[in-house]
Amino acid sequence: MSTEFGKGCHLHLIDGSAFIFRAYHALPPLTRKSDGLPIGAVAGFCNMLHRYVEGNTGPDAPTHVAVIFDHSGKSFRNDMYDLYKANRPPAPEDLRPQFPLTRDATRAFNIACKEIEGFEADDIIATLACQAREAGGRCTIISSDKDLMQLVGDGVEMLDAMKNKRIDRDGVFEKFGVGPERVVDVQALAGDSVDNVPGAPGIGIKTAALLINEFGDLESLLDRAEEIKQPKRRQTLIEKRDQIELSKRLVQLDCEMELDFTLDDLEVKDPVSEELMNFLAEMEFRTLTKRIAEQLGVEAPVINDTPQQGASAAGEVDVPEDLPFDPEAYAWVKDAEGLQTWIDAAYKRGYVAVDTETTGLDEMRVDLVGICLSSEAGQACYVPLTHKAGSDDLFGSDQLAEGQMDLEQALAMLKPMLEDESILKIGQNMKYDAKIFSRYGIEVGPIDDTMLLSYALHAGIHGHGMDALSERYLNHTPIPIKSLLGSGKSAITFDRVPIEDAVKYAAEDADITLRLWQKLKPQLHQEQVTTVYEKLERPLVHVLKDMEMTGIKVDRDVLSRMSNSFAQKMAGYEAELYELAGHEFNVQSPAQVGKILFEEMELEGGKKTKTGQWSTPADVLEDLANEHTFARRVLDYRQLQKLKSTYTDALQDHIHPDTGRVHTSYLQSGASTGRMASNDPNLQNIPVRSEEGRKIREAFVADEGKVLLSLDYSQIELRILAEMAGIDALKQAFKDGHDIHAMTASEMFDVPMSEMTPEIRRQAKAINFGVIYGISAFGLARNLHIPRGDAQAFITRYFERFPGIRTYMDDTKAFAKENLYVQTLFGRKIHMPEINAKGPRAGFAQRAAINAPIQGTAADVIRRAMIRMPDAIKDLPAKMLLQVHDELIFEVAEDAADQVIAVAREVMEGAAAPALHMSVPLVVDAGRGANWAEAH
DNA sequence: GACATCACG
DNA sequence: GACGTACGTGATGTCC
């Protein structure tokens, strides 16, 4: 009963992308109840489609209809102009996974759903509209996109579904000042900032229409540009002719695309009840399912939207009733065909859990061994790529094992999906995998990270490693990696693991990651940490990745010379110590040092550690050092030993052979407060306090022609304390740029600023720090080497002068006891499970509760600065290299240093805004130099 | 692998 | 009245 499209037929073409975005913005961020899949745009899309179908009655009803989508990725216009649509922001993260679902929705309504790779929806619409016109039929384009207005006329009209307004030739004239056939000419001149079509600078739609109407068309205008009276306009049109002609080609829609379907294929069909019902039920749209079921006269299917985990309180463990883990279900992907099915699955779902297997843990050095994918719980695959044959061979064979895809081929297949804006890639510690992929030419994005989900949700409650999360939230113990690799000397690398074993282990990781994501993602809303995750965690991953991959240049010779010098001095100290002790011993053993001091030399005041051995920390030795050369020399020896082993020796091993730079790794979820931790090597504890140690920073250098910059927040934690506790005197001092410690001293001890002594100021400074740490008389006494009673008197006096501090501390403790967590000013939660403990642990927890919001807010501030920094400096010859809690290190071309300092300082000082308006200014100090010692 | 020590903010 | 404390990290060495 197919009718050939022709006279009397009416084609409706729906601009699918417009529907999606309108739906997305019209609705709150709904998620599917059972698994937290973002679903708001799909819900809106279905409502709009449904309303559209309902409205299709009467003489204007279509005989043919299709929804046209933009295909993801670049279009042929990017070949003409690589900046086309370049400044368009990527689709929101929670929208991307919904793109494929809107296609499914369209098909569920039994409406033709079309998209073609390399073309935009507008071109398909143009081609179909022209075909309809030539066949003598009518066409209505349901869109308000002005780019489509060039198609209007001779039976083609547009319908703005939002305003329910038809746009005919008059409507086009109203908008562009010319008829549809001249619209592209006007657009070519006016350009389009949204699509990044350059056009003619300085000419807008009004002027463009004026010119086109005067000269007839664009070509005549450009040919006769000399005749234009206004000099500026004339010059622009002559000079920018190429750009204008390019713009015309960009806005000109392609009416003659080759399509693999005809108009006849688009005939209006009634929905197939069962398919539509199944889809709506799968999406868990209760209202819509019920309403449409009634209209179709069928029974609405039962919707099972029981969340896969109970509405759990923070940290509560719930045992899932979920499907069991079945290693036999995991697939070994051996060829392109097999891999394609998994890529297809990722596209169907819109998300995929990804995990890489490598030959080690150092992302900058290891090789990729295999890749795992999973888009549905219980189903996962492993794609082995570089496993070696014959693992039992003593030397190992370099021959590749059988049953593996070619590495290049697999990566070429995966790259488009891993980089596809519409596919969410889920990983556990995704920074690791992103770095590996980046070294193989793939920039993974967008991403979700289960480790960071856990961190945003449960910092302070438990760790965020995969094994711990799996046991806690999936009630499943993953296969230990040790069972495959062994441990110690006999450990092998992953490429030596037999593939059949690797499949079970590796695919399981992807399966676990996906299930964790399904469980944890919906909890963000329940715990009200969505913004923390979205604004402070997820965007940081790629920033850290880039910093780590850039690394910092370290001069091996400087370190090597220092090592030698230290070794010589240490040998001297060692001989002297043997002499003083009367025998040889291990200077590096605190137990032996303690024995000599407190038993052989019979000195007083020795304390024992909880394990019963003599305690010999630096402050104890320091007390003895003036009287006893032995103690002094142990201290001297220890200082050099520390500097040598941890820094001058170890750092040399961390210099990457190819880059000549040191690449640390930041642990984003390391510290419960929101701070980062740095490891392998730790570049956040490079010596600076001692003269000797500071020299190590001279080994951290800028590349030739460049300098290092150091920008650090001045007193950020005290400023935040003043802000949080609302201490007017402190706030005012910061606003006036006063010396805050001197001011505190003046207030506390009634000393005028003019009579301030360094000693009084030092004591006030210690108190200020103590407050941040959750002050105690004992701690302050020890720090200042004063009697405990004096320390208590200081604290009492301090609280008298700044009563707001005491209130803040009491309020914070009370909040923590009530809620079992504390919060930063940006909403980060730091859980305090021990806050109501009895005994000495209570004190710990209370001080931690006081410190965490302060330290955490400072950490949030610098995170915000770091996240904004890449964009701020993107046009400058500068790279951000390191973060040290309140300091950022950059490497910049020498002549751009001042400019970068200005830009980076602005970003850092303004980092709290706009989320938080601080009444205390944040101040950033900057330094520059050939090395880190000079820059600091 | 636990503990002690010490480097940083 | 005694308990035993400054907050947050990571790396190294000893010793079991």
Side-chain angles (χ1 to χ4, degrees):
Chain A
M1 62 172 265
S2 176
T3 2
E4 193 162 327
F5 192 93
K7 206 164 158 50
C9 289
H10 186 186
L11 171 66
H12 273 190
L13 295 172
I14 297 171
D15 181 352
S17 301
F19 261 43
I20 295 173
F21 278 93
R22 199 181 306 147
Y24 176 75
H25 291 294
L27 287 171
L30 308 174
T31 52
R32 184 159 66 183
K33 209 167 164 193
S34 64
D35 64 356
L37 179 73
I39 212 81
V42 184
F45 186 88
C46 287
N47 269 313
M48 289 163 74
L49 266 193
H50 178 235
R51 244 181 296 145
Y52 162 79
V53 172
E54 273 190 311
N56 276 338
T57 51
D60 240 13
T63 57
H64 296 68
V65 62
V67 182
I68 315 294
F69 292 97
D70 289 307
H71 196 279
S72 62
K74 311 250 173 203
S75 77
F76 70 94
R77 288 185 177 80
N78 290 102
D79 297 335
M80 291 197 258
Y81 182 54
D82 57 1
L83 292 177
Y84 179 66
K85 295 201 172 178
N87 55 11
R88 187 167 282 198
E93 306 268 345
D94 59 336
L95 176 54
R96 289 172 190 153
Q98 304 189 60
F99 286 134
L101 295 173
T102 56
R103 274 70 165 174
D104 294 346
T106 309
R107 284 185 282 265
F109 277 90
N110 209 8
I111 297 174
C113 166
K114 300 293 177 190
E115 63 189 296
I116 295 172
E117 187 170 6
F119 290 88
E120 296 181 62
D122 288 0
D123 296 308
I124 307 174
I125 292 172
T127 302
L128 290 171
C130 291
Q131 287 180 4
R133 177 189 296 156
E134 278 160 27
R138 287 177 62 202
C139 176
T140 299
I141 300 165
I142 295 154
S143 172
S144 53
D145 187 345
K146 60 182 172 11
D147 294 341
L148 291 166
M149 290 192 181
Q150 58 184 275
L151 303 170
V152 168
D154 296 334
V156 179
E157 288 186 356
M158 289 175 67
L159 174 66
D160 184 339
M162 204 59 176
K163 299 173 189 155
N164 199 20
K165 194 177 120 191
R166 294 197 81 86
I167 301 166
D168 52 12
R169 293 189 66 96
D170 289 346
V172 174
F173 203 89
E174 205 174 293
K175 172 85 188 168
F176 279 102
V178 294
E181 51 286 329
R182 293 277 80 86
V183 162
V184 285
D185 291 353
V186 170
Q187 286 184 293
L189 287 169
D192 185 340
S193 58
V194 178
D195 290 347
N196 212 25
V197 173
I203 294 181
I205 288 183
K206 287 274 163 55
T207 313
L210 209 69
L211 289 166
I212 294 300
N213 283 326
E214 186 180 342
F215 287 84
D217 58 36
L218 184 66
E219 287 65 36
S220 311
L221 169 67
L222 292 174
D223 287 343
R224 294 162 51 201
E226 298 286 353
E227 299 170 22
I228 296 170
K229 294 175 198 80
Q230 297 86 341
K232 191 101 186 267
R233 207 175 280 177
R234 181 173 63 232
Q235 194 190 353
T236 304
L237 289 178
I238 293 168
E239 282 179 5
K240 302 286 178 182
R241 176 163 191 153
D242 288 352
Q243 187 176 312
I244 295 164
E245 286 172 339
L246 168 69
S247 298
K248 177 160 178 175
R249 290 200 299 280
L250 288 175
V251 297
Q252 179 82 57
L253 297 179
D254 186 348
C255 280
E256 298 182 343
M257 282 178 60
E258 295 218 4
L259 303 176
D260 57 2
F261 57 92
T262 67
L263 290 177
D264 300 331
D265 297 332
L266 308 181
E267 199 175 358
V268 170
K269 286 174 273 189
D270 286 331
V272 180
S273 307
E274 195 186 340
E275 282 177 21
L276 182 52
M277 285 297 115
N278 283 347
F279 176 80
L280 296 172
E282 191 190 332
M283 293 295 110
E284 298 164 15
F285 299 148
R286 287 184 173 281
T287 317
L288 196 59
T289 307
K290 205 171 141 212
R291 187 190 312 155
I292 295 181
E294 277 170 19
Q295 289 168 358
L296 293 173
V298 297
E299 194 161 326
V302 177
I303 294 175
N304 180 12
D305 60 359
T306 320
Q308 287 172 15
Q309 79 291 325
S312 60
E316 185 188 316
V317 185
D318 34 46
V319 182
E321 70 292 346
D322 295 351
L323 76 165
F325 282 86
D326 177 11
E328 302 304 323
Y330 300 141
W332 172 352
V333 169
K334 300 184 180 184
D335 51 33
E337 208 182 327
L339 180 55
Q340 191 59 48
T341 63
W342 290 90
I343 294 174
D344 290 345
Y347 272 94
K348 178 157 180 285
R349 282 284 176 183
Y351 55 78
V352 58
V354 182
D355 185 35
T356 54
E357 301 301 335
T358 57
T359 52
L361 291 172
D362 181 346
E363 311 95 301
M364 288 299 290
R365 303 191 195 207
V366 297
D367 297 317
L368 185 59
V369 177
I371 297 166
C372 325
L373 302 172
S374 170
S375 286
E376 190 172 336
Q379 296 179 21
C381 74
Y382 180 56
V383 192
L385 296 170
T386 60
H387 282 259
K388 306 292 197 295
S391 61
D392 45 1
D393 185 336
L394 185 60
F395 299 100
S397 149
D398 281 339
Q399 191 126 30
L400 287 175
E402 294 291 315
Q404 302 189 88
M405 280 188 73
D406 174 62
L407 176 70
E408 304 281 327
Q409 189 195 5
L411 292 176
M413 286 178 70
L414 286 164
K415 183 178 162 84
M417 185 273 282
L418 291 173
E419 296 185 343
D420 194 319
E421 293 284 334
S422 66
I423 306 296
L424 181 67
K425 271 69 66 174
I426 303 154
Q428 164 73 12
N429 190 14
M430 202 58 177
K431 175 159 64 68
Y432 181 89
D433 305 276
K435 282 169 84 172
I436 300 291
F437 278 123
S438 182
R439 284 180 47 225
Y440 287 84
I442 296 174
E443 294 303 320
V444 179
I447 60 124
D448 247 343
D449 192 326
T450 47
M451 183 180 79
L452 300 180
L453 286 170
S454 170
Y455 183 56
L457 288 165
H458 298 142
I461 294 180
H462 55 69
H464 314 290
M466 193 177 73
D467 291 359
L469 294 180
S470 177
E471 302 220 359
R472 210 177 172 93
Y473 296 103
L474 305 176
N475 202 20
H476 171 73
T477 307
I479 303 170
I481 184 70
K482 271 188 189 165
S483 68
L484 297 182
L485 304 183
S487 64
K489 258 181 145 178
S490 58
I492 56 170
T493 47
F494 203 83
D495 55 335
R496 299 284 173 193
V497 173
I499 297 178
E500 50 268 34
D501 298 340
V503 169
K504 296 191 181 78
Y505 167 83
E508 184 187 74
D509 277 3
D511 189 9
I512 290 171
T513 302
L514 186 78
R515 296 188 199 210
L516 284 173
W517 179 74
Q518 291 173 342
K519 229 168 218 313
L520 296 177
K521 189 84 191 264
Q523 292 188 24
L524 288 179
H525 299 290
Q526 294 162 18
E527 285 291 313
Q528 302 183 348
V529 287
T530 305
T531 305
V532 171
Y533 177 75
E534 295 291 344
K535 302 285 181 184
L536 298 175
E537 302 299 342
R538 180 151 67 171
L540 195 58
V541 174
H542 281 93
V543 177
L544 293 177
K545 180 201 114 199
D546 290 342
M547 289 168 70
E548 293 170 14
M549 293 190 77
T550 304
I552 184 165
K553 190 174 175 185
V554 171
D555 188 332
R556 183 187 299 276
D557 292 342
V558 172
L559 294 177
S560 172
R561 275 196 294 273
M562 290 183 77
S563 279
N564 290 338
S565 152
F566 289 153
Q568 259 182 13
K569 284 189 190 165
M570 283 162 70
Y573 293 149
E574 197 175 31
E576 195 181 344
L577 283 163
Y578 293 165
E579 185 79 15
L580 290 165
H583 60 87
E584 295 196 358
F585 65 101
N586 187 347
V587 188
Q588 302 196 102
S589 166
Q592 293 182 36
V593 168
K595 197 159 163 253
I596 292 168
L597 280 169
F598 302 117
E599 291 178 18
E600 297 175 16
M601 295 171 68
E602 297 179 333
L603 297 182
E604 298 295 317
K607 281 191 188 139
K608 295 209 171 168
T609 65
K610 60 185 166 190
T611 51
Q613 66 169 327
W614 289 108
S615 169
T616 62
D619 55 345
V620 170
L621 296 185
E622 191 62 51
D623 287 343
L624 301 171
N626 287 334
E627 300 281 324
H628 304 280
T629 316
F630 183 88
R632 171 66 64 205
R633 287 296 168 261
V634 171
L635 283 170
D636 293 338
Y637 182 93
R638 278 190 186 167
Q639 185 193 12
L640 297 187
Q641 157 68 19
K642 179 76 179 182
L643 296 178
K644 182 171 186 293
S645 68
T646 310
Y647 300 104
T648 59
D649 284 351
L651 268 176
Q652 295 187 56
D653 299 334
H654 283 286
I655 298 174
H656 194 285
D658 299 334
T659 65
R661 298 168 78 93
V662 171
H663 305 267
T664 184
S665 183
Y666 288 98
L667 194 60
Q668 205 178 324
S669 56
S672 62
T673 52
R675 267 198 185 178
M676 244 96 69
S678 154
N679 63 17
D680 295 310
N682 183 355
L683 295 186
Q684 291 183 319
N685 71 345
I686 302 301
V688 69
R689 291 173 187 169
S690 77
E691 187 76 28
E692 286 267 53
R694 193 154 49 233
K695 290 208 176 76
I696 291 170
R697 296 193 170 209
E698 292 172 12
F700 290 78
V701 295
D703 219 334
E704 278 154 50
K706 299 180 182 170
V707 289
L708 293 184
L709 304 182
S710 162
L711 287 90
D712 68 291
Y713 284 106
S714 164
Q715 308 286 5
I716 186 167
E717 292 191 352
L718 268 182
R719 288 170 197 266
I720 284 165
L721 173 68
E723 178 77 23
M724 293 177 87
I727 311 299
D728 289 333
L730 289 180
K731 285 205 228 173
Q732 195 57 46
F734 280 126
K735 283 182 200 164
D736 296 341
H738 288 157
D739 177 337
I740 196 68
H741 301 311
M743 196 285 292
T744 306
S746 174
E747 285 278 338
M748 270 190 64
F749 303 112
D750 291 323
V751 180
M753 291 293 276
S754 55
E755 292 170 29
M756 187 57 52
T757 69
E759 178 56 23
I760 298 176
R761 183 181 178 279
R762 189 179 72 84
Q763 297 198 331
K765 183 176 175 179
I767 296 169
N768 276 334
F769 275 100
V771 168
I772 291 170
Y773 296 147
I775 200 160
S776 76
F778 185 92
L780 184 63
R782 208 179 64 161
N783 189 283
L784 283 176
H785 295 106
I786 57 174
R788 216 166 125 180
D790 294 4
Q792 185 55 58
F794 282 3
I795 293 169
T796 305
R797 176 79 181 135
Y798 186 90
F799 284 153
E800 277 169 24
R801 294 303 296 117
F802 305 105
I805 300 274
R806 160 155 258 168
T807 311
Y808 162 77
M809 293 172 81
D810 290 345
D811 289 352
T812 304
K813 278 190 269 189
F815 183 93
K817 283 168 187 261
E818 171 78 26
N819 299 289
L820 301 184
Y821 68 86
V822 292
Q823 258 180 315
T824 69
L825 291 179
F826 296 92
R828 177 187 300 282
K829 287 182 177 176
I830 299 117
H831 294 273
M832 297 278 155
E834 298 231 289
I835 192 73
N836 292 319
K838 298 279 173 245
R841 286 187 310 181
F844 276 112
Q846 286 176 17
R847 288 191 296 273
I850 289 162
N851 174 259
I854 304 168
Q855 187 182 112
T857 300
D860 290 346
V861 168
I862 196 165
R863 277 173 180 243
R864 290 168 62 89
M866 291 169 74
I867 288 163
R868 292 178 190 175
M869 199 62 76
D871 190 53
I873 63 172
K874 69 174 189 297
D875 296 326
L876 297 169
K879 290 218 158 119
M880 182 160 62
L881 307 184
L882 300 178
Q883 188 251 40
V884 193
H885 308 308
D886 63 356
E887 174 187 17
L888 293 174
I889 308 292
F890 300 82
E891 184 177 39
V892 312
E894 212 166 344
D895 50 14
D898 291 333
Q899 205 186 343
V900 174
I901 288 177
V903 170
R905 172 179 272 144
E906 193 178 326
V907 171
M908 288 173 74
E909 292 185 343
L916 176 66
H917 173 75
M918 288 196 42
S919 57
V920 177
L922 293 178
V923 171
V924 167
D925 297 325
R928 52 184 286 182
N931 60 60
W932 195 358
E934 283 180 27
H936 188 77

